[in-house]
């Protein structure tokens, strides 16, 4: 009798990178596979709840809920910590898996050590992408213009030299850009509707399965208050939440709207005391069971992260997108192009503009029609079960499924 396949998942300690994979991991464990999950200790308990065995390692990256300023402001500020963390994490992971090397590696897009380890072990690696992926022409249209100036600097050249040297030390001759951005196989955990230039994505490499959400009952439930005709959830996710002025604008926008009830998630850097007088129809929390609320909400004011965007689509909730960083600006534009959202950049998100956008969205039958259509499309992509099926197909190819 053959032993169950050993699948090893690797990620970083950020909600937006861990949460999308958890239901896939839970499903693989339920199907009888032995799954380990390399993750910093802060997420070990959450990983263990899936049935996978956490493999803790020490990370130098800012942790979940860290002050956004910890990530810096420039492109090099953003990317250098990931390389430095990968270099110091790799020896820890080599030791942790010594004598228990997996049959297959799964990895978040930010886990560089996973790809190095898969190469060293001679096993396949599959990216579980929690956000958009590269299309044909992405490098010329996005990456090269973005990197044009940093590449000219001594700091940018040193970054690439360090990256290339690290890869070479581990027997990898690929340039850092395709190493990081062009996986040989990827399961994409967002709806295809959120993917820019989806018609130019190589579907031999990238398989869109849509959101893998589960019921999240362990996060708790939420009940719509009696007398609330409309419910709006305001959340900027877990990373870019230090926005007291924006939250105050939301309180002014929705706090005196007859029949409206607002749930405001502020994160750990802003408290109710920072918001001034809060009306009775506004509840303020540092954290909320987001999906449970969205299933009962009429409007979602979101930073348009990949997780929040797809949760809005999956629950059929119109959105006001207030992007804060990274891919959120592109996600916001995709939601607008789908006809289910309005975009307001932070400086434009005044109480009047928020209220105007909200009233237009929730009373528009065309928005409702588009949301219902997208809900149906997303459900057909297969979600958790299809992701697990695709992973098992790779194991079958290896003779381990």
């Amino acid at each position: 009798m053959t032993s169950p396949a050993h699948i090893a998942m690797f990620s970083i300690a950020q909600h937006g990178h861990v949460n999308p994979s958890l239901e896939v991991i839970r499903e693989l464990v339920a199907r009888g596979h032995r799954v380990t999950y390399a993750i910093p200790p802060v997420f070990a308990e959450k990983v263990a709840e899936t049935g996978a065995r956490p493999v803790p390692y020490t990370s130098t990256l800012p942790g979940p809920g860290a002050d956004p300023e910890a990530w810096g402001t420039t492109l090099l500020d953003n990317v250098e910590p990931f390389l430095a963390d990968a270099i110091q994490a790799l020896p820890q992971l080599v030791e942790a898996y010594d004598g228990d090397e997996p049959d297959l590696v799964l990895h978040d897009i930010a886990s560089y050590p996973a790809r190095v380890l898969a190469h060293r072990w001679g096993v396949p690696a599959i990216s579980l992408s929690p956000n958009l992926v590269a299309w044909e022409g992405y490098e010329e249209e996005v990456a090269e213009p973005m990197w044009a100036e940093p590449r000219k600097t001594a700091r940018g050249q040193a970054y690439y030299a360090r990256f290339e040297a690290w890869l070479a030390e581990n027997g990898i001759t690929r340039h850092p850009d395709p190493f990081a951005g062009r996986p040989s196989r990827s399961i994409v955990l967002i709806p295809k509707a959120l993917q820019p230039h989806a018609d130019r994505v190589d579907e031999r490499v990238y398989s869109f399965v849509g959101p893998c959400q589960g019921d999240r009952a362990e996060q708790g439930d939420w009940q719509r208050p009696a007398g609330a005709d409309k419910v709006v959830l305001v959340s900027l996710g877990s990373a870019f939440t230090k926005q007291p002025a924006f939250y105050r604008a939301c309180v002014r926008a929705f706090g005196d709207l007859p029949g409206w009830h607002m749930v405001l998630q502020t994160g750990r850097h802003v408290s109710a005391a920072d918001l001034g007088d809060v009306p009775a129809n506004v509840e303020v929390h540092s954290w909320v069971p987001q999906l449970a609320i969205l299933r009962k909400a009429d409007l979602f004011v979101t930073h348009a992260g990949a997780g929040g965007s797809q949760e809005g689509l999956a629950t059929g909730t119109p959105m006001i997108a207030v992007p804060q960083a990274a891919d959120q600006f592109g996600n916001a534009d995709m939601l607008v192009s789908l006809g289910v959202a309005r975009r307001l950049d932070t400086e434009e998100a005044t109480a009047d503009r928020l209220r105007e956008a909200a009233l237009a969205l929730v009373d528009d039958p065309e928005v409702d029609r588009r949301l219902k259509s997208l809900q149906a499309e997303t459900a057909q992509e297969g979600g958790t079960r299809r992701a697990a099926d695709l992973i098992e197909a790779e194991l079958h190819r290896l003779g381990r499924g």
Side-chain angles (χ1 to χ4, degrees):
M1 183 176 179
T2 59
S3 60
H6 176 192
I7 302 170
M9 173 69 192
F10 297 79
S11 192
I12 63 169
Q14 291 292 326
H15 291 284
H17 292 263
V18 174
N19 292 345
S21 70
L22 292 177
E23 290 306 313
V24 179
I25 300 304
R26 194 188 310 276
E27 178 71 12
L28 291 169
V29 171
R31 294 185 184 195
H33 302 292
R34 183 166 69 91
V35 185
T36 57
Y37 198 127
I39 191 70
V42 66
F43 277 96
E45 183 177 348
K46 179 175 273 197
V47 164
E49 290 170 354
T50 68
R53 178 174 66 84
V55 177
Y57 70 92
T58 299
S59 174
T60 57
L61 290 172
D67 192 312
E69 294 173 6
W71 291 99
T73 56
T74 70
L75 179 58
L76 285 168
D77 288 341
N78 296 159
V79 300
E80 286 171 337
F82 288 97
L83 177 59
D85 185 58
I87 291 171
Q88 67 86 35
L90 182 62
Q92 300 179 58
L93 295 168
V94 168
E95 181 178 359
Y97 279 92
D98 186 27
D100 191 27
E101 291 80 6
D103 301 293
L104 177 68
V105 164
L106 304 176
H107 64 87
D108 178 72
I109 55 172
S111 179
Y112 299 160
R115 279 158 274 192
V116 170
L117 288 167
H119 177 81
R120 289 174 59 145
W121 293 330
V123 301
I126 301 176
S127 162
L128 297 187
S129 180
N131 53 19
L132 63 85
V133 297
W135 56 89
E136 298 307 315
Y138 171 84
E139 286 78 9
E140 296 82 1
E141 296 165 20
V142 177
E144 289 175 11
M146 183 170 63
W147 275 96
E149 290 305 315
R151 282 183 195 276
K152 296 175 184 177
T153 67
R155 182 181 172 190
Q157 292 162 10
Y159 166 78
Y160 272 101
R162 188 183 187 197
F163 209 149
E164 289 179 3
W166 180 62
L167 293 177
E169 287 169 12
N170 289 282
I172 297 173
T173 56
R174 294 184 81 191
H175 186 272
D177 289 344
F179 168 82
R182 288 288 182 178
S184 58
R185 187 74 177 94
S186 180
I187 296 172
V188 190
L189 309 178
I190 65 169
K192 193 173 182 179
L194 282 177
Q195 170 64 42
H197 307 294
D199 58 329
R200 287 195 271 152
V201 172
D202 186 350
E203 295 198 26
R204 295 167 299 179
V205 174
Y206 300 99
S207 298
F208 290 87
V209 301
C212 302
Q213 295 172 336
D215 64 16
R216 302 207 195 150
E218 76 284 354
Q219 294 185 359
D221 199 4
W222 181 85
Q223 296 301 319
R224 187 184 187 105
D229 295 327
K230 301 291 184 185
V231 169
V232 53
L233 170 64
V234 178
S235 170
L236 298 181
S238 60
F240 299 95
T241 60
K242 197 175 182 179
Q243 295 286 353
F246 167 71
Y247 299 141
R248 286 192 287 268
C250 289
V251 171
R252 291 194 299 275
F254 303 109
D256 62 355
L257 266 183
W260 281 67
H261 182 85
M262 181 170 76
V263 182
L264 175 58
Q265 175 178 285
T266 60
R268 65 175 63 184
H269 302 294
V270 178
S271 69
D274 297 316
L275 306 180
D277 292 332
V278 176
N281 68 324
V282 175
E283 52 182 286
V284 181
H285 308 279
S286 61
W287 179 90
V288 298
Q290 180 164 293
L291 195 57
I293 297 173
L294 285 177
R295 288 172 178 147
K296 299 167 184 174
D298 302 282
L299 178 69
F300 185 21
V301 181
T302 171
H303 64 310
S309 298
Q310 64 185 342
E311 287 175 7
L313 292 182
T315 57
T317 311
M319 288 168 271
I320 298 176
V322 188
Q324 301 296 306
D327 62 329
Q328 296 159 21
F329 299 96
N331 293 339
D333 290 339
M334 288 297 293
L335 292 169
V336 172
S337 72
L338 292 170
V340 299
R342 299 282 185 93
R343 172 177 167 173
L344 292 175
D345 290 343
T346 304
E347 61 275 10
E348 302 171 330
T350 63
D352 288 343
R353 295 287 300 278
L354 286 163
R355 185 182 298 197
E356 176 189 9
L359 295 175
L361 284 164
V362 299
D363 292 328
D364 189 333
E366 180 61 17
V367 170
D368 184 62
R369 186 193 68 78
R370 289 177 179 271
L371 281 164
K372 285 183 168 59
S373 175
L374 287 164
Q375 265 187 302
E377 286 178 27
T378 299
Q380 290 174 359
E381 290 177 324
T384 301
R385 292 187 63 83
R386 182 159 177 254
D389 289 345
L390 291 167
I391 293 165
E392 287 192 326
E394 184 62 33
L395 290 172
H396 285 304
R397 190 184 69 80
L398 298 170
R400 290 307 313 268

